[in-house]
């Protein structure tokens, strides 16, 4: 039990520390690396709670895919953050005001939170007892029965977002030499090679 | 004190010994893998390969290792020191840490976790960081280009790899690696899921940056890609990590598709041989194919590599997931 306590405090402290480093690091690439460290600590906390599936998915999705793209983009951009930060003090009042408004909105939302009537029963017995089924089974049984419509709706939202991103960035440029495997395979010897007898001294 | 010893210290010592029992043979296997690669390729190209150090050149990998560690360490000018040295460590560390969940025989596994496949998938998807960080921290054009190529390549092939793993999981009904092997007692998944088996192997080639997908190194255009600035011990760590990753991917292929520690036929002379030997034989067969491919295939062009990943593997593996699910539901073969 004491080991778990130590592990929790180590993970939590490192999580907060790397979170602070994400926004305070000078170099943007270092920021992304600290972000990855923060994801790992969060995964560790999930493991401590016994949510092994969530922990692994967190690492696969966020560290293995999202953060790679972040790193990719940040490395390519080569921004000088010191220049960007120069005018920061002038817009600080406006930024602070927006931050305050957002904070009060958040407080209003959380303060006015009403729990739906059926939820308490669900939370009391969410799945078959966690000792009898694995994490993954428990999640699946809940997600594909009770919440199947919400799950499908999430899928549709993601699909639309994906199509939107493709539509926004897709450009058909002229003059791009693209490989067309079908055309290459369909090429026949007769249409591309001509054999001629060339008599000497005359040329083709 | 006795309670402290029995409850905490003794398990700790046992776990450390178990880790050593996995790591030491693995590192020896990595050393001989480099030797085997040179010997096999030499045989395919009508050469002798290493033959002077020790009998049949068997001590060559150790001589190479000593040579590497005796060399000078060079930190390129303008390089980011911390990231530069962390990158090879990450590569090597990730290649070793994944072995914690590999079952070598029934019950012979360091950590039998319920989400074993996800763990392996997560670790293999982290491999890209070692390479990207190395390429960025080296402050060199070649290294940076290699790192960018590697990032794009590994992210692309992970997607189809995930879908292929899902097909296997549909047939098993569990994420536990031991369960996956035991589900193949009747028939290895390589037979009903044959196209997936081939695609998984090709994706493994791409995921480990092996020929014909070795564009991140691409010695004919990028010198040595992301590791061009590395020398001595950090280079050795990259090298070891890469080969350990190859062995890991072969182990994954064996467990997911070739029945892990199971013998090919479930009766007498075959079942006398212990499961560890079968697993080692299957891994060796996969590794031989890795080398065979390297000796046979020319390198892919970059756009061809992307086309294969996104336009061929992704749709086909997605189709196969739907097909497998459909067949399982229609015939009522879904595992409990």
């Amino acid at each position: 039990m004491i080991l778990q306590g130590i592990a929790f405090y180590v993970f939590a402290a490192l999580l907060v520390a790397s979170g602070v480093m994400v926004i305070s690091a000078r170099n943007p690439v270092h920021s992304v690396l600290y972000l990855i460290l923060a994801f790992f600590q969060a995964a560790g906390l999930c493991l401590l709670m016994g949510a092994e599936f969530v922990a692994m998915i967190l690492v696969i999705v966020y560290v293995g895919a999202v953060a790679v793209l972040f790193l990719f983009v940040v490395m390519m951009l080569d921004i000088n953050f010191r220049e960007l930060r120069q005018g920061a003090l002038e817009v600080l009042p406006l930024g602070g005001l927006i931050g305050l408004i957002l904070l009060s909105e958040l407080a209003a939302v959380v303060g006015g939170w009403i729990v739906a009537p059926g939820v308490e029963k669900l939370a009391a017995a969410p799945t078959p007892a966690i000792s009898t089924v694995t994490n993954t089974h428990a999640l699946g049984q809940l997600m594909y029965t009770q919440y199947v419509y919400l799950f499908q709706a999430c899928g549709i939202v993601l699909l639309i977002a994906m199509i939107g991103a493709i539509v926004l960035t897709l450009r058909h440029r002229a003059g791009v030499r693209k490989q067309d495997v079908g055309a290459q395979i369909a090429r026949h010897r007769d249409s591309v090679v001509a054999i001629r007898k060339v008599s000497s001294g005359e040329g083709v | 004190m006795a309670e402290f010893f029995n409850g905490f210290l003794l398990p700790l010592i046992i776990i450390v010994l178990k880790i050593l029992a996995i790591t030491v043979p693995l590192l020896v296997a990595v050393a001989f893998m480099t030797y085997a690669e040179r010997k096999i390729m030499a045989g395919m190209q009508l050469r002798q390969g290493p033959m002077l150090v020790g009998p049949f050149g068997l001590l060559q990998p150790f001589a190479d290792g000593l040579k590497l560690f005796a060399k000078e360490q060079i930190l390129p000018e303008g390089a980011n020191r911390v990231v530069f040295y962390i990158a090879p460590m990450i590569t090597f560390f990730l290649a070793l840490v994944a072995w914690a969940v590999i079952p070598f025989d029934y019950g012979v596994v360091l950590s039998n976790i319920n989400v074993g496949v996800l763990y392996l998938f997560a670790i293999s998807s982290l491999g890209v960081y070692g390479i990207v960080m190395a390429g960025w921290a080296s402050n060199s054009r070649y290294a940076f280009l290699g790192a960018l190529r590697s990032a794009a390549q590994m992210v692309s092939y992970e997607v189809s790899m995930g879908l292929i793993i899902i097909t296997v999981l549909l047939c098993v009904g569990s994420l536990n690696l031991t369960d996956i092997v035991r589900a193949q007692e009747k028939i290895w998944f390589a037979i009903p899921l044959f196209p997936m088996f081939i695609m998984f192997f090709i994706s493994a080639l791409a995921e480990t940056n092996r020929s014909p997908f070795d564009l991140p190194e691409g010695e004919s255009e990028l010198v040595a890609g992301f590791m061009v600035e590395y020398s001595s011990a950090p280079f050795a760590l990259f090298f070891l990590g890469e080969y350990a990753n190859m062995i890991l991917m072969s182990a994954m292929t064996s467990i997911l598709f070739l029945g892990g520690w199971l013998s090919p036929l479930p009766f007498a002379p075959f079942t006398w041989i212990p499961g560890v030997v079968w697993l080692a034989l299957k891994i060796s067969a996969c590794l031989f194919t890795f080398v065979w491919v390297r000796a046979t295939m020319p390198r892919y062009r970059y756009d061809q590599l992307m086309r294969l990943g996104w336009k061929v593997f992704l749709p086909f593996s997605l189709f196969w997931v739907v097909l497998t699910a459909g067949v399982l539901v229609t015939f009522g073969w879904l595992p409990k």
Side-chain angles (χ1 to χ4, degrees), chain A residues 84-103:
Chain A
L84 271 182
R85 279 189 188 142
Q86 267 173 2
L89 274 182
E90 295 165 25
V91 291
L92 194 63
L94 186 65
L97 188 67
I98 293 175
L100 272 180
I101 293 173
L102 280 179
L103 190 68

PDB file of all heavy atoms in Angstrom, chain A residues 84-103:
ATOM      1  N   LEU A  84       8.326  36.205 -30.722  1.00  0.00           N
ATOM      2  CA  LEU A  84       6.867  36.155 -30.614  1.00  0.00           C
ATOM      3  C   LEU A  84       6.399  36.738 -29.299  1.00  0.00           C
ATOM      4  O   LEU A  84       5.344  37.356 -29.222  1.00  0.00           O
ATOM      5  CB  LEU A  84       6.397  34.705 -30.716  1.00  0.00           C
ATOM      6  CG  LEU A  84       6.104  34.186 -32.112  1.00  0.00           C
ATOM      7  CD1 LEU A  84       5.594  32.759 -32.038  1.00  0.00           C
ATOM      8  CD2 LEU A  84       5.055  35.055 -32.798  1.00  0.00           C
ATOM      9  N   ARG A  85       7.204  36.545 -28.242  1.00  0.00           N
ATOM     10  CA  ARG A  85       6.758  36.947 -26.913  1.00  0.00           C
ATOM     11  C   ARG A  85       6.966  38.436 -26.654  1.00  0.00           C
ATOM     12  O   ARG A  85       6.531  38.936 -25.629  1.00  0.00           O
ATOM     13  CB  ARG A  85       7.510  36.148 -25.845  1.00  0.00           C
ATOM     14  CG  ARG A  85       6.905  34.778 -25.654  1.00  0.00           C
ATOM     15  CD  ARG A  85       7.489  34.085 -24.469  1.00  0.00           C
ATOM     16  NE  ARG A  85       7.000  32.707 -24.449  1.00  0.00           N
ATOM     17  CZ  ARG A  85       7.727  31.666 -24.099  1.00  0.00           C
ATOM     18  NH1 ARG A  85       8.984  31.855 -23.738  1.00  0.00           N
ATOM     19  NH2 ARG A  85       7.230  30.464 -24.107  1.00  0.00           N
ATOM     20  N   GLN A  86       7.642  39.145 -27.553  1.00  0.00           N
ATOM     21  CA  GLN A  86       8.010  40.526 -27.271  1.00  0.00           C
ATOM     22  C   GLN A  86       6.808  41.422 -26.991  1.00  0.00           C
ATOM     23  O   GLN A  86       6.821  42.224 -26.087  1.00  0.00           O
ATOM     24  CB  GLN A  86       8.832  41.094 -28.419  1.00  0.00           C
ATOM     25  CG  GLN A  86      10.323  40.910 -28.166  1.00  0.00           C
ATOM     26  CD  GLN A  86      11.147  41.295 -29.347  1.00  0.00           C
ATOM     27  OE1 GLN A  86      10.622  41.738 -30.362  1.00  0.00           O
ATOM     28  NE2 GLN A  86      12.458  41.146 -29.234  1.00  0.00           N
ATOM     29  N   GLY A  87       5.737  41.264 -27.790  1.00  0.00           N
ATOM     30  CA  GLY A  87       4.575  42.126 -27.599  1.00  0.00           C
ATOM     31  C   GLY A  87       3.586  41.599 -26.578  1.00  0.00           C
ATOM     32  O   GLY A  87       2.492  42.125 -26.446  1.00  0.00           O
ATOM     33  N   ALA A  88       3.987  40.565 -25.833  1.00  0.00           N
ATOM     34  CA  ALA A  88       3.023  39.877 -24.966  1.00  0.00           C
ATOM     35  C   ALA A  88       2.482  40.791 -23.873  1.00  0.00           C
ATOM     36  O   ALA A  88       1.298  40.735 -23.547  1.00  0.00           O
ATOM     37  CB  ALA A  88       3.667  38.638 -24.357  1.00  0.00           C
ATOM     38  N   LEU A  89       3.337  41.676 -23.330  1.00  0.00           N
ATOM     39  CA  LEU A  89       2.906  42.516 -22.202  1.00  0.00           C
ATOM     40  C   LEU A  89       1.805  43.484 -22.608  1.00  0.00           C
ATOM     41  O   LEU A  89       0.928  43.811 -21.806  1.00  0.00           O
ATOM     42  CB  LEU A  89       4.089  43.284 -21.623  1.00  0.00           C
ATOM     43  CG  LEU A  89       4.899  42.527 -20.579  1.00  0.00           C
ATOM     44  CD1 LEU A  89       6.010  43.384 -20.029  1.00  0.00           C
ATOM     45  CD2 LEU A  89       3.990  42.039 -19.448  1.00  0.00           C
ATOM     46  N   GLU A  90       1.855  43.959 -23.876  1.00  0.00           N
ATOM     47  CA  GLU A  90       0.863  44.948 -24.308  1.00  0.00           C
ATOM     48  C   GLU A  90      -0.544  44.351 -24.351  1.00  0.00           C
ATOM     49  O   GLU A  90      -1.523  45.046 -24.078  1.00  0.00           O
ATOM     50  CB  GLU A  90       1.220  45.479 -25.700  1.00  0.00           C
ATOM     51  CG  GLU A  90       2.532  46.253 -25.699  1.00  0.00           C
ATOM     52  CD  GLU A  90       3.055  46.456 -27.100  1.00  0.00           C
ATOM     53  OE1 GLU A  90       2.245  46.446 -28.048  1.00  0.00           O
ATOM     54  OE2 GLU A  90       4.276  46.603 -27.237  1.00  0.00           O
ATOM     55  N   VAL A  91      -0.646  43.071 -24.734  1.00  0.00           N
ATOM     56  CA  VAL A  91      -1.980  42.471 -24.857  1.00  0.00           C
ATOM     57  C   VAL A  91      -2.373  41.717 -23.598  1.00  0.00           C
ATOM     58  O   VAL A  91      -3.417  41.084 -23.557  1.00  0.00           O
ATOM     59  CB  VAL A  91      -2.052  41.519 -26.080  1.00  0.00           C
ATOM     60  CG1 VAL A  91      -1.984  42.313 -27.355  1.00  0.00           C
ATOM     61  CG2 VAL A  91      -0.970  40.479 -26.025  1.00  0.00           C
ATOM     62  N   LEU A  92      -1.526  41.823 -22.549  1.00  0.00           N
ATOM     63  CA  LEU A  92      -1.811  41.072 -21.327  1.00  0.00           C
ATOM     64  C   LEU A  92      -3.176  41.417 -20.719  1.00  0.00           C
ATOM     65  O   LEU A  92      -3.918  40.511 -20.328  1.00  0.00           O
ATOM     66  CB  LEU A  92      -0.694  41.289 -20.308  1.00  0.00           C
ATOM     67  CG  LEU A  92      -0.707  40.313 -19.138  1.00  0.00           C
ATOM     68  CD1 LEU A  92      -0.495  38.897 -19.628  1.00  0.00           C
ATOM     69  CD2 LEU A  92       0.339  40.693 -18.108  1.00  0.00           C
ATOM     70  N   PRO A  93      -3.567  42.707 -20.629  1.00  0.00           N
ATOM     71  CA  PRO A  93      -4.881  43.009 -20.032  1.00  0.00           C
ATOM     72  C   PRO A  93      -6.027  42.345 -20.770  1.00  0.00           C
ATOM     73  O   PRO A  93      -6.912  41.733 -20.149  1.00  0.00           O
ATOM     74  CB  PRO A  93      -4.976  44.535 -20.161  1.00  0.00           C
ATOM     75  CG  PRO A  93      -3.582  45.004 -20.304  1.00  0.00           C
ATOM     76  CD  PRO A  93      -2.819  43.923 -20.969  1.00  0.00           C
ATOM     77  N   LEU A  94      -5.996  42.434 -22.098  1.00  0.00           N
ATOM     78  CA  LEU A  94      -7.057  41.822 -22.896  1.00  0.00           C
ATOM     79  C   LEU A  94      -7.077  40.314 -22.676  1.00  0.00           C
ATOM     80  O   LEU A  94      -8.144  39.706 -22.436  1.00  0.00           O
ATOM     81  CB  LEU A  94      -6.829  42.153 -24.375  1.00  0.00           C
ATOM     82  CG  LEU A  94      -7.942  41.691 -25.313  1.00  0.00           C
ATOM     83  CD1 LEU A  94      -9.227  42.426 -25.024  1.00  0.00           C
ATOM     84  CD2 LEU A  94      -7.520  41.870 -26.759  1.00  0.00           C
ATOM     85  N   GLY A  95      -5.881  39.711 -22.717  1.00  0.00           N
ATOM     86  CA  GLY A  95      -5.789  38.262 -22.523  1.00  0.00           C
ATOM     87  C   GLY A  95      -6.299  37.866 -21.154  1.00  0.00           C
ATOM     88  O   GLY A  95      -7.051  36.895 -21.017  1.00  0.00           O
ATOM     89  N   GLY A  96      -5.922  38.651 -20.155  1.00  0.00           N
ATOM     90  CA  GLY A  96      -6.360  38.347 -18.800  1.00  0.00           C
ATOM     91  C   GLY A  96      -7.870  38.429 -18.684  1.00  0.00           C
ATOM     92  O   GLY A  96      -8.507  37.591 -18.028  1.00  0.00           O
ATOM     93  N   LEU A  97      -8.452  39.435 -19.348  1.00  0.00           N
ATOM     94  CA  LEU A  97      -9.908  39.604 -19.310  1.00  0.00           C
ATOM     95  C   LEU A  97     -10.602  38.381 -19.899  1.00  0.00           C
ATOM     96  O   LEU A  97     -11.533  37.828 -19.302  1.00  0.00           O
ATOM     97  CB  LEU A  97     -10.287  40.873 -20.095  1.00  0.00           C
ATOM     98  CG  LEU A  97     -11.751  41.288 -19.992  1.00  0.00           C
ATOM     99  CD1 LEU A  97     -12.072  41.738 -18.578  1.00  0.00           C
ATOM    100  CD2 LEU A  97     -12.083  42.355 -21.009  1.00  0.00           C
ATOM    101  N   ILE A  98     -10.105  37.944 -21.078  1.00  0.00           N
ATOM    102  CA  ILE A  98     -10.709  36.770 -21.723  1.00  0.00           C
ATOM    103  C   ILE A  98     -10.571  35.552 -20.821  1.00  0.00           C
ATOM    104  O   ILE A  98     -11.514  34.761 -20.660  1.00  0.00           O
ATOM    105  CB  ILE A  98     -10.051  36.520 -23.095  1.00  0.00           C
ATOM    106  CG1 ILE A  98     -10.400  37.672 -24.043  1.00  0.00           C
ATOM    107  CG2 ILE A  98     -10.500  35.195 -23.692  1.00  0.00           C
ATOM    108  CD1 ILE A  98      -9.718  37.601 -25.370  1.00  0.00           C
ATOM    109  N   GLY A  99      -9.398  35.424 -20.188  1.00  0.00           N
ATOM    110  CA  GLY A  99      -9.178  34.301 -19.273  1.00  0.00           C
ATOM    111  C   GLY A  99     -10.180  34.321 -18.141  1.00  0.00           C
ATOM    112  O   GLY A  99     -10.771  33.292 -17.800  1.00  0.00           O
ATOM    113  N   LEU A 100     -10.412  35.513 -17.582  1.00  0.00           N
ATOM    114  CA  LEU A 100     -11.373  35.644 -16.473  1.00  0.00           C
ATOM    115  C   LEU A 100     -12.773  35.256 -16.914  1.00  0.00           C
ATOM    116  O   LEU A 100     -13.490  34.551 -16.208  1.00  0.00           O
ATOM    117  CB  LEU A 100     -11.375  37.083 -15.955  1.00  0.00           C
ATOM    118  CG  LEU A 100     -10.358  37.401 -14.860  1.00  0.00           C
ATOM    119  CD1 LEU A 100     -10.467  38.855 -14.447  1.00  0.00           C
ATOM    120  CD2 LEU A 100     -10.589  36.481 -13.668  1.00  0.00           C
ATOM    121  N   ILE A 101     -13.168  35.731 -18.109  1.00  0.00           N
ATOM    122  CA  ILE A 101     -14.516  35.405 -18.612  1.00  0.00           C
ATOM    123  C   ILE A 101     -14.664  33.895 -18.758  1.00  0.00           C
ATOM    124  O   ILE A 101     -15.665  33.305 -18.322  1.00  0.00           O
ATOM    125  CB  ILE A 101     -14.766  36.116 -19.967  1.00  0.00           C
ATOM    126  CG1 ILE A 101     -14.819  37.637 -19.757  1.00  0.00           C
ATOM    127  CG2 ILE A 101     -16.048  35.621 -20.609  1.00  0.00           C
ATOM    128  CD1 ILE A 101     -14.893  38.412 -21.048  1.00  0.00           C
ATOM    129  N   LEU A 102     -13.637  33.264 -19.342  1.00  0.00           N
ATOM    130  CA  LEU A 102     -13.703  31.810 -19.534  1.00  0.00           C
ATOM    131  C   LEU A 102     -13.808  31.100 -18.192  1.00  0.00           C
ATOM    132  O   LEU A 102     -14.583  30.154 -18.036  1.00  0.00           O
ATOM    133  CB  LEU A 102     -12.455  31.328 -20.286  1.00  0.00           C
ATOM    134  CG  LEU A 102     -12.479  31.521 -21.804  1.00  0.00           C
ATOM    135  CD1 LEU A 102     -11.181  31.037 -22.408  1.00  0.00           C
ATOM    136  CD2 LEU A 102     -13.642  30.765 -22.418  1.00  0.00           C
ATOM    137  N   LEU A 103     -13.028  31.594 -17.216  1.00  0.00           N
ATOM    138  CA  LEU A 103     -13.028  30.964 -15.895  1.00  0.00           C
ATOM    139  C   LEU A 103     -14.408  31.050 -15.252  1.00  0.00           C
ATOM    140  O   LEU A 103     -14.932  30.069 -14.713  1.00  0.00           O
ATOM    141  CB  LEU A 103     -11.985  31.634 -15.006  1.00  0.00           C
ATOM    142  CG  LEU A 103     -11.695  30.931 -13.690  1.00  0.00           C
ATOM    143  CD1 LEU A 103     -10.999  29.618 -13.952  1.00  0.00           C
ATOM    144  CD2 LEU A 103     -10.850  31.811 -12.782  1.00  0.00           C
TER     145      LEU A 103
END
